[in-house]
């Protein structure tokens, strides 16, 4: 078995919570007694660590997620006979408990699914809907209120995916998440860091304090985090589903909580929510067909736009962005143009968007000529804050599921909770691209797949505001330079937009010659640390011509890959 570099103790402990191994064995292996108030034992803090990971490969299925416990859940479902959809959904639900700083069942989930038997690939949009009574003007201060709360899409997408593609009962898929919430998890490093930095927001409500400050002080690193309210909510979802969430007491209580904090949502808006089934948008890069997310999940369109521009750069001659000043400069200019322009895209169902033209090679040639003239975009809104999870699963039959789910903002942006779970507040997404009342929110979401000769080649995505830059750099490394995936993710990289001046991040170990070339081209930059978490994580699976599948956790985050 291919093990990611998290230690067998961590795998056993996570598997116990998911119901895959004997809990006593796991507790002994992890080295702390999960029944006691934490701090009294020694949690394995290497679980969910940053830094270099061990690759995973296999032929019977593979999963990569943002946390090793979630990856173990996905692989456990595959071993039990579930398919890629089952495994992804179980892991995603678990992440709402394991990584509550990044995702929540009151947020969004959008998924791309490839059915190996039929060869068909479909896109499921489970993004959030803006309130029908959305305030005409919003400011940064509104992110800490209920005014930016939306109608959630996560649970509708979960049910829709399970009923369309899944093979297991929803209650079974929720079992690992319920176990993690009820029995508790060690407050792992990435979670603890966010609890520490956002403690004032968590303290705003009695519910937040009871979860994250059970002894008045915030949880210590490795201390047990128990989420009984979330466990009860997930249990009820397994039993009652949308009847409770969208038309029952959950919807009523959600709206009451939000509206008391300045929001304007109604139970009728919950009851009217529907997922969107779409055919993915299509593009071409070299000899590969690209299938991308559909606006207002704009990441797929941006990925195609970016790769169309890269084809005009002759990067095979100049070298990859991590080595060539010319490639780095041109890629960053292209990324800035694509991302800034993308802030004008709204929900196509109410604001027409010429996707075919934007994704065309002819349009890429037009805009590339303008980009090379060096015109910088006018200052504008600051980009939204990070907060999301991406995960990808392939099963024994070759079915592939890849999805992003998210809080759509900084962790616990408004500090509100209902029934033990945080309330999603899309934050600066509204300040980037103000939706029309009741519309789907425009979000940089990018589950994507690439096919060569009709066969899957690469499937995945990334969290973070830098996700498009992450994907383009890794795709070009792999496609144009035959670079192994594990080598590609370790190369220094550039990231997305930072502020209203449209500065872009660069990892400092790109070096002064490369960074200097970028600055000389008129691109404002902010230097960040090597392997910066702000640059996302390439949570993708590569499928070789002989059918072997391969993935590796990105060192920038706590990602983990594991084969069946």
């Amino acid at each position: 078995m291919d093990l990611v570099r998290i230690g067998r103790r961590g795998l056993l402990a996570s598997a116990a919570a998911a119901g895959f191994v004997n809990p006593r064995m796991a507790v002994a292996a992890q080295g702390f007694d999960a029944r006691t108030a934490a701090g009294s034992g020694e949690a394995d803090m290497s679980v969910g660590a940053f830094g270099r990971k061990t690759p995973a490969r296999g032929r019977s299925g593979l999963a990569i997620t943002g946390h090793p416990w979630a990856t173990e859940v996905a692989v456990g479902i595959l071993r039990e006979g579930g398919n890629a959809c089952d495994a992804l959904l179980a892991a995603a639900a678990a992440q709402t408990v394991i990584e509550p700083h990044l995702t929540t069942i009151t947020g969004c989930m959008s998924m791309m699914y490839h059915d190996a038997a039929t060869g068909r690939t479909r896109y499921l949009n489970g993004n959030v809907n803006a309130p029908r009574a959305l305030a005409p003007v919003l400011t940064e201060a509104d992110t800490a209120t209920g005014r930016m709360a939306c109608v959630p899409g996560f649970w509708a997408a979960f049910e829709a995916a399970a009923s369309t593609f899944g093979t297991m009962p929803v209650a079974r898929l929720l079992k690992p998440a319920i176990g993690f919430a009820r029995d508790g998890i060690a407050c792992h490093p990435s979670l603890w860091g966010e609890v520490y930095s956002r403690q004032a927001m968590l303290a705003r409500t009695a519910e937040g304090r009871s979860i994250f400050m059970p002894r008045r002080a915030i949880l210590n690193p490795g201390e047990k985090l128990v989420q009984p309210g979330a466990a009860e909510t997930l249990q009820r979802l397994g039993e009652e589903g949308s009847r409770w969430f969208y038309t029952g007491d959950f919807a009523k209580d959600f709206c009451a909580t939000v509206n008391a904090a300045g929001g304007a949502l109604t139970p009728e808006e919950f009851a009217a929510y529907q997922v969107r089934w779409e055919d993915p948008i299509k593009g071409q890069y070299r000899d590969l067909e690209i299938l991308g997310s559909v606006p207002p999940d704009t990441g797929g369109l941006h990925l195609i736009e970016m790769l169309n521009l890269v084809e005009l750069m002759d990067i095979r001659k100049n070298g990859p962005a991590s080595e060539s000043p010319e490639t780095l400069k041109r890629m960053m200019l292209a990324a800035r143009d694509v991302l800034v322009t993308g802030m004008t895209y709204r929900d196509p169902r109410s604001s027409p968007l010429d996707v075919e033209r934007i994704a065309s090679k002819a349009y890429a040639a037009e805009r590339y000529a303008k980009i090379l003239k060096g015109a910088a975009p006018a200052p504008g809104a600051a980009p939204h804050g990070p907060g999301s999870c991406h995960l990808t699963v392939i099963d024994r039959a070759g079915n592939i599921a890849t999805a992003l789910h998210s809080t759509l903002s900084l962790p616990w942006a408004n500090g509100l909770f209902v029934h033990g779970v945080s309330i999603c507040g899309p934050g600066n997404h509204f300040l980037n691209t103000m939706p029309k009342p009741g519309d789907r929110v425009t979000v940089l979401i990018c589950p994507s797949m690439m096919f060569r000769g009709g066969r899957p080649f690469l499937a995945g995505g990334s969290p973070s505001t830098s996700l498009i830059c992450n994907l383009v750099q890794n795709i070009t490394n792999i496609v144009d330079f035959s670079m192994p995936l594990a080598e590609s993710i370790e190369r220094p990289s550039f990231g997305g937009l930072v502020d209203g001046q449209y500065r872009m991040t660069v990892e400092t170990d790109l070096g002064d010659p490369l960074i200097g070339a970028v600055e000389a081209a008129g691109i404002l930059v902010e230097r960040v640390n090597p392997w910066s978490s702000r640059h996302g994580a390439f949570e993708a699976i590569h499928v070789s011509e002989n059918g072997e599948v391969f993935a590796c956790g990105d060192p920038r985050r706590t990602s983990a890959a594991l084969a069946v």
Side-chain angles (χ1 to χ4, degrees):
M1 177 171 63
D2 295 297
L3 296 179
V4 292
R5 189 176 167 226
I6 58 175
R8 183 165 175 77
R9 291 181 296 169
L11 285 170
L12 284 170
S14 62
F20 299 133
V21 301
N22 186 304
R24 290 185 179 180
M25 290 172 58
V27 169
Q30 177 129 350
F32 73 99
D33 189 343
R35 297 168 296 179
T36 64
S40 61
E42 296 180 0
D44 182 359
M45 294 306 289
S46 70
V47 174
F50 297 93
R52 181 175 286 115
K53 313 297 194 309
T54 299
R57 67 173 72 237
R59 294 181 180 276
S60 300
L62 187 148
I64 180 168
T65 81
H67 196 280
W69 294 337
T71 300
E72 181 69 15
V73 168
V75 170
I77 292 291
L78 292 178
R79 289 173 181 156
E80 194 176 312
N83 68 9
C85 179
D86 297 321
L88 183 142
L89 293 177
Q95 284 179 296
T96 68
V97 178
I98 298 166
E99 300 181 280
H101 54 303
L102 297 176
T103 187
T104 171
I105 62 168
T106 67
C108 72
M109 180 165 68
S110 292
M111 182 178 81
M112 187 174 291
Y113 190 81
H114 173 70
D115 185 291
T118 64
R120 187 179 183 188
T121 304
R122 300 179 70 189
Y123 189 70
L124 172 62
N125 179 312
N127 202 350
V128 299
N129 282 353
R132 292 174 181 168
L134 182 66
V137 178
L138 292 169
T139 68
E140 187 75 30
D142 291 314
T143 61
T145 72
R147 300 184 81 191
M148 291 187 181
C150 293
V151 183
F154 180 100
W155 184 251
F158 192 102
E159 284 191 331
S163 63
T164 305
F165 303 125
T167 64
M168 288 184 163
V170 165
R172 173 64 191 94
L173 301 180
L174 294 176
K175 183 179 177 182
I178 294 169
F180 284 126
R182 182 189 60 236
D183 301 331
I185 61 169
C187 192
H188 50 87
S190 61
L191 172 56
W192 184 84
E194 297 295 352
V195 170
Y196 179 84
S197 65
R198 303 288 289 174
Q199 57 187 289
M201 192 61 69
L202 287 169
R204 295 183 71 192
T205 65
E207 196 157 11
R209 294 191 296 272
S210 70
I211 298 169
F212 294 98
M213 305 167 191
R215 296 172 291 97
R216 297 184 68 189
I218 65 169
L219 295 167
N220 291 309
E223 189 170 354
K224 187 169 67 172
L225 168 64
V226 182
Q227 301 170 71
E232 182 178 344
T233 290
L234 291 163
Q235 186 74 43
R236 291 198 67 174
L237 287 174
E239 296 167 356
E240 302 176 51
S242 288
R243 293 196 310 276
W244 180 61
F245 191 93
Y246 283 103
T247 60
D249 287 343
F250 185 92
K252 295 175 185 176
D253 294 341
F254 184 104
C255 293
T257 301
V258 164
N259 295 347
L265 279 175
T266 66
E268 290 74 23
E269 290 175 81
F270 266 69
Y273 183 89
Q274 293 184 339
V275 299
R276 295 182 182 179
W277 289 101
E278 311 267 13
D279 289 326
I281 63 170
K282 295 182 179 181
Q284 192 81 20
Y285 183 68
R286 313 297 189 194
D287 63 338
L288 294 161
E289 181 184 39
I290 310 164
L291 298 185
S293 57
V294 183
D297 289 359
T298 56
L301 180 56
H302 290 343
L303 179 62
I304 292 169
E305 291 176 81
M306 271 290 293
L307 290 173
N308 283 346
L309 291 167
V310 170
E311 276 194 329
L312 301 171
M313 296 179 189
D314 199 10
I315 67 168
R316 288 177 173 173
K317 175 184 176 182
N318 293 324
S322 56
E323 296 178 8
S324 165
E326 192 65 23
T327 297
L328 179 63
K329 176 184 69 177
R330 294 189 180 209
M331 272 195 186
M332 291 183 70
L333 286 169
R336 186 179 67 180
D337 186 81
V338 167
L339 294 172
V340 171
T341 303
M343 292 182 188
T344 65
Y345 302 166
R346 287 183 171 179
D347 186 348
R349 297 197 178 183
S350 66
S351 301
L353 184 66
D354 192 345
V355 172
E356 185 175 349
R357 176 177 178 270
I358 295 169
S360 70
K361 302 290 187 183
Y363 179 62
E366 289 177 24
R367 74 193 303 182
Y368 188 58
K370 295 177 182 178
I371 289 169
L372 291 182
K373 291 180 180 178
H384 57 81
S388 56
C389 298
H390 201 105
L391 64 168
T392 306
V393 182
I394 186 169
D395 61 29
R396 182 186 301 272
N399 302 305
I400 306 173
T402 184
L404 183 141
H405 56 107
S406 179
T407 63
L408 295 170
S409 191
L410 291 171
W412 308 292
N414 52 35
L416 301 175
F417 288 80
V418 62
H419 288 278
V421 298
S422 64
I423 290 178
C424 169
N428 286 346
H429 283 84
F430 284 5
L431 306 181
N432 286 347
T433 309
M434 187 69 171
K436 292 183 179 180
D439 273 6
R440 283 285 204 274
V441 177
T442 297
V443 180
L444 200 63
I445 290 175
C446 194
S448 60
M449 297 185 188
M450 301 183 80
F451 294 80
R452 174 173 282 154
R455 294 170 54 86
F457 174 79
L458 198 63
S462 169
S464 149
T465 56
S466 296
L467 65 90
I468 299 302
C469 301
N470 180 302
L471 295 181
V472 168
Q473 288 169 93
N474 281 292
I475 288 170
T476 54
N477 285 345
I478 293 166
V479 174
D480 292 301
F481 302 102
S482 301
M483 198 179 295
L485 188 153
E487 178 185 342
S488 176
I489 59 176
E490 294 189 2
R491 290 288 183 108
S493 67
F494 70 89
L497 303 174
V498 175
D499 55 24
Q501 297 298 312
Y502 303 134
R503 287 184 301 153
M504 301 183 73
T505 53
V506 289
E507 290 178 348
T508 188
D509 55 341
L510 276 166
D512 289 336
L514 269 70
I515 297 173
V518 168
E519 292 174 321
I523 304 174
L524 301 177
V525 302
E526 177 181 320
R527 298 189 186 215
V528 296
N529 57 288
W531 289 348
S532 171
S533 62
R534 292 166 66 177
H535 286 193
F538 191 55
E539 280 149 358
I541 294 175
H542 171 59
V543 183
S544 66
E545 291 184 4
N546 65 10
E548 187 175 40
V549 295
F550 181 92
C552 186
D554 197 306
R556 291 167 181 80
R557 299 246 176 157
T558 57
S559 310
L562 187 63
V564 174

